[in-house]
Amino acid sequence: MATGRMTLEQLMELLDMDAVPDGLALDATLEPTLAPKVRGEGHSVPPPPRRSLAPPAEEDRSSSRLRIKGPLAEGGMGTIQLAEQGGLRRDVALKTLRDEFLEESFGQRLLREARMLGLVEHPNVVPLYGLETDERNAPVLVMKRIEGVPWRRVMHDPDHPLARSSGDDRLGWHLRVLMRVCDAVHYGHARGVLHLDLKPDNVMIGPFREVVLVDWGVAVCTNEKYRGWLPMADEVSEVLGTPAYLAPEMVDVARRALGPRTDVYLLGATLYELLVGRPPHTGESLQAMLYAAYDAQPPELPDDLPSELAAICKKAMQPDPENRHETVEALRDAIAGFLEHRNSARLARQAHDELKDLRALVDAVEDEPTKPGPRIPSRSDDRNATVQRTFGRCRFGFLEAIHQWPGNESAVEGQQSALLVMAHYHLVRGEAASAETLLEEVGDDERTEPLRQEAQRQREEAARLERLGHEESDDPGGQTRGRLLFVGTLVVALPILVAYGLRRAGMLEYQWWHTLIYDVLLAGFFAVGGWITRRRTASNRRGRRMLLTLVYLTLLGVLLRMISLAMGLWDLRSTAIELFFFASGCVLAGLLADRRFYVAAPGLFAGALLVLAFPDHAQLWIALATVAGPAMLAVSWMRD
């Protein structure tokens, strides 16, 4: 045979491939047929001689030999002893009847428990190694020795070493224990076995955190093939189990049949004790406890309990079995889901706390009185910053909770509520656009309708105020109006200066109707000019007001001239009244329409005084007053 690394052909020559059946799957286990061919000089190797082992030691001849070491515990009708199993040298627990219970009925009960344990071989169920009979002809269950403590002791003792080993997450540790109990019970249900005595005392926690469900003494079967060999669920006519945990149908067996959902209730009752610290049914007497189990009021749970876990417990403990979890596996999945979602639930609870703070802050802002006048930075600015930071933390918490668990209804509702509270806050501050942005995120929700209506009202009010502001503050036609007024001042000043020169030269004699016609022509000039330029000079309310002021002043000037003539004021000194009137009109226009009218008033007042003081030069003072007054106003408008 070749030495060193063989080729494929060499390996195939070495192996007996003829013994391999045709069509053997490549992932199948090879039977011991692929024996190597030993090739010699044409001779095959003879078969090896038949062999045998040396006789075993006496103590190793049988593992069924049991050596009693001493008592371990005693129950209601039985006793548990520690023994050593011969051959394997391992400690086992022997469960048998106490002498005072050596009756056929109790012997049958212990025998049925052994048969139940034989059906539910599961990692979280105490193993049954064998079934023997002692010298009294009493059944003896040979079981694994469970070293540990009842779960109740760990559950109610936070200083227990096993409890401390769970770290800060004691709730999660205990819920995982319950899930392993659910695994054992679910396996029993798959084999047609109901435990019917589920409670923390019947769960043992080992030193290495093993979880073992014990005491199947009152278990019953639902599988018809075991009728007559095991007690059946429909044969139960008495109350079984522990009163503090009983499901309603276990007390009133005639009302409802026992089934897998009965064990669901018992697991819910165990969860209740874990969450509340006591079993669900209490009373000062056995009768009171049995009636509490029969009455089965909804469990009262702490307010600070996570809502998802509270809902799981309440559903498992529903009085009507049809309203409970359909199977133990469904209950286990719900607990597993809570453990997976609990960080999301924790974030949602923290965010709800932030939401409470946010509501309080918004209420304080809403109750704060609004002060008129210019806005001055104050404590309200700090409060607004606090509101924004609180909303940011609140919103992030809800969003992160939803990201980790999209089905977190508490977080989804909290997120919606936070958006609504913040939208209301923006509306209180008159920030409709910000509020509408948040309401768009909320989507279709009947709570948004009043807020949307308020936002719409604020938008319409803002638009109205904006229009008013445009009408009152903007002056797009100022330059055109300034040019119109400037031309008007020339119309006033230049003819008057010419008339003054002609009069001084003795070429013109002043007549009373000169001023009247002149006033009429001036009023017509502003009326026609304003009409022609109205698209520019009167494009908003402010512009219209100023243009009409000019027209009305000139028309009132005509009316004033006619009144003066009617009073017999025929000479040029009467023009002082008109100048004073126009100056007063500019002051009023400055108060009511445009402060720039003020610039025209001093020149007109000065002209009125000069006319009275030096009437011979009245036309000169009128022309100069026109230049010093209305012309300056026109320049001001054209400059802006």
Side-chain angles (χ1 to χ4, degrees):
M1 184 173 60
T3 60
R5 183 178 179 84
M6 292 185 291
T7 64
L8 174 62
E9 291 77 11
Q10 291 171 332
L11 178 62
M12 292 303 101
E13 289 180 2
L14 179 66
L15 301 177
D16 186 6
M17 299 300 295
D18 295 336
V20 179
D22 296 335
L24 180 71
L26 297 181
D27 59 351
T29 302
L30 294 174
E31 298 295 333
T33 56
L34 210 55
K37 299 176 183 178
V38 181
R39 301 181 183 277
E41 297 295 329
H43 301 285
S44 60
V45 177
R50 184 179 182 85
R51 294 185 175 185
S52 63
L53 298 175
E58 182 65 21
E59 62 180 6
D60 295 333
R61 284 185 180 274
S62 174
S63 63
S64 64
R65 295 183 179 183
L66 302 169
R67 183 172 64 86
I68 306 297
K69 286 186 173 183
L72 276 179
E74 282 195 0
M77 67 175 189
T79 179
I80 300 178
Q81 293 180 310
L82 176 65
E84 183 183 87
Q85 193 174 21
L88 299 178
R89 295 188 178 182
R90 68 178 176 185
D91 287 341
V92 294
L94 306 180
K95 183 174 182 179
T96 188
L97 295 174
R98 293 161 56 184
D99 289 340
E100 56 266 38
F101 287 93
L102 281 176
E103 297 179 10
E104 187 66 27
S105 60
F106 292 111
Q108 287 298 318
R109 285 179 61 178
L110 192 60
L111 186 61
R112 288 195 295 266
E113 181 179 355
R115 292 170 180 170
M116 291 289 185
L117 288 173
L119 278 179
V120 289
E121 293 181 289
H122 186 271
N124 297 118
V125 177
V126 56
L128 178 68
Y129 293 151
L131 177 63
E132 305 288 344
T133 304
D134 64 10
E135 66 279 1
R136 304 172 301 167
N137 291 323
V140 178
L141 279 62
V142 183
M143 299 181 294
K144 178 181 178 179
R145 180 192 177 185
I146 304 299
E147 298 184 30
V149 296
W151 185 19
R152 172 187 286 273
R153 188 182 306 174
V154 184
M155 187 183 292
H156 295 282
D157 183 7
D159 295 326
H160 194 281
L162 287 173
R164 291 199 303 269
S165 70
S166 63
D168 295 334
D169 189 16
R170 294 190 66 241
L171 176 61
W173 187 86
H174 284 291
L175 289 176
R176 290 181 179 89
V177 171
L178 182 59
M179 289 170 61
R180 293 169 74 176
V181 176
C182 289
D183 290 337
V185 178
H186 178 60
Y187 181 79
H189 290 180
R191 305 300 300 273
V193 176
L194 309 179
H195 189 282
L196 299 185
D197 199 16
L198 298 168
K199 57 183 179 180
D201 280 325
N202 284 343
V203 178
M204 300 294 293
I205 309 295
F208 299 98
R209 289 178 286 280
E210 313 98 299
V211 177
V212 181
L213 177 60
V214 299
D215 200 349
W216 295 72
V218 298
V220 296
C221 187
T222 59
N223 194 330
E224 281 297 322
K225 75 176 183 178
Y226 296 119
R227 186 177 292 276
W229 190 63
L230 292 174
M232 303 301 291
D234 57 4
E235 296 173 350
V236 175
S237 59
E238 69 275 6
V239 177
L240 301 175
T242 304
Y245 304 88
L246 294 179
E249 64 267 26
M250 299 175 73
V251 181
D252 186 7
V253 295
R255 183 171 59 174
R256 300 184 184 91
L258 302 181
R261 298 192 191 195
T262 304
D263 277 346
V264 169
Y265 186 97
L266 298 174
L267 290 167
T270 302
L271 175 59
Y272 178 90
E273 182 170 357
L274 170 62
L275 300 178
V276 178
R278 60 173 176 81
H281 309 316
T282 57
E284 296 181 357
S285 65
L286 177 60
Q287 291 85 348
M289 294 180 68
L290 289 175
Y291 186 80
Y294 166 80
D295 195 34
Q297 292 297 317
E300 295 182 2
L301 298 169
D303 293 335
D304 59 349
L305 195 67
S307 58
E308 184 183 6
L309 187 57
I312 293 172
C313 184
K314 290 179 179 179
K315 183 174 182 179
M317 294 184 64
Q318 286 293 310
D320 188 348
E322 294 299 319
N323 295 330
R324 300 171 197 161
H325 297 88
E326 187 174 357
T327 63
V328 170
E329 184 73 358
L331 172 61
R332 183 198 181 281
D333 290 344
I335 296 172
F338 165 74
L339 288 174
E340 181 181 350
H341 306 149
R342 64 191 307 220
N343 189 56
S344 172
R346 179 184 60 82
L347 289 172
R349 288 196 302 273
Q350 293 175 349
H352 274 292
D353 291 338
E354 295 285 355
L355 180 56
K356 291 180 183 177
D357 294 340
L358 179 63
R359 283 197 172 101
L361 289 169
V362 172
D363 289 344
V365 171
E366 189 172 13
D367 294 339
E368 189 176 74
T370 303
K371 297 180 180 180
R375 187 179 178 280
I376 300 174
S378 63
R379 186 167 61 90
S380 62
D381 295 302
D382 295 335
R383 179 176 293 172
N384 178 54
T386 302
V387 170
Q388 297 291 347
R389 286 194 299 269
T390 304
F391 173 66
R393 291 193 301 268
C394 174
R395 187 181 191 187
F396 175 80
F398 286 129
L399 289 175
E400 183 61 23
I402 295 171
H403 174 74
Q404 294 186 15
W405 177 25
N408 191 337
E409 295 181 0
S410 174
V412 172
E413 171 59 25
Q415 164 74 354
Q416 299 289 85
S417 297
L419 292 171
L420 290 171
V421 170
M422 201 61 184
H424 174 68
Y425 170 73
H426 283 301
L427 291 175
V428 169
R429 290 170 56 87
E431 299 164 347
S434 298
E436 287 178 328
T437 299
L438 295 176
L439 292 175
E440 286 299 321
E441 293 188 46
V442 175
D444 294 333
D445 191 308
E446 61 182 9
R447 295 172 295 177
T448 66
E449 189 57 31
L451 298 176
R452 293 183 189 276
Q453 292 177 0
E454 174 61 18
Q456 180 64 25
R457 188 196 67 78
Q458 289 190 9
R459 276 192 169 277
E460 293 174 354
E461 179 66 12
R464 185 182 72 83
L465 293 176
E466 183 178 359
R467 289 194 300 271
L468 286 176
H470 171 73
E471 294 287 334
E472 297 296 334
S473 61
D474 291 350
D475 190 14
Q479 290 187 347
T480 302
R481 188 171 58 255
R483 286 193 288 269
L484 177 65
L485 179 58
F486 189 78
V487 173
T489 58
L490 295 180
V491 170
V492 172
L494 291 179
I496 292 177
L497 285 175
V498 172
Y500 173 71
L502 293 175
R503 182 168 171 269
R504 297 295 294 177
M507 300 176 61
L508 179 66
E509 185 69 27
Y510 173 73
Q511 301 293 328
W512 62 270
W513 50 269
H514 290 170
T515 307
L516 178 59
I517 294 177
Y518 187 80
D519 288 342
V520 171
L521 292 175
L522 181 62
F525 170 81
F526 280 111
V528 174
W531 175 260
I532 294 174
T533 62
R534 67 184 183 282
R535 293 186 180 276
R536 293 186 180 182
T537 59
S539 59
N540 64 5
R541 181 179 297 179
R542 186 181 183 191
R544 288 192 295 272
R545 205 159 47 217
M546 288 186 285
L547 180 62
L548 289 174
T549 299
L550 291 176
V551 175
Y552 289 156
L553 282 175
T554 55
L555 290 176
L556 290 174
V558 173
L559 180 60
L560 183 61
R561 167 53 48 187
M562 295 174 67
I563 293 173
S564 298
L565 293 175
M567 294 174 63
L569 301 176
W570 303 90
D571 58 3
L572 281 172
R573 292 187 62 184
S574 63
T575 57
I577 298 176
E578 295 182 34
L579 290 176
F580 185 83
F581 165 76
F582 283 119
S584 300
C586 287
V587 172
L588 291 174
L591 291 171
L592 301 176
D594 187 352
R595 287 178 295 177
R596 288 173 292 188
F597 273 101
Y598 292 145
V599 301
L604 294 173
F605 277 126
L609 295 175
L610 289 172
V611 168
L612 292 174
F614 307 101
D616 291 340
H617 304 285
Q619 291 171 313
L620 176 62
W621 309 135
I622 293 172
L624 293 178
T626 302
V627 174
M632 296 299 296
L633 175 60
V635 171
S636 175
W637 279 340
M638 288 188 292
R639 182 183 301 162
D640 289 344

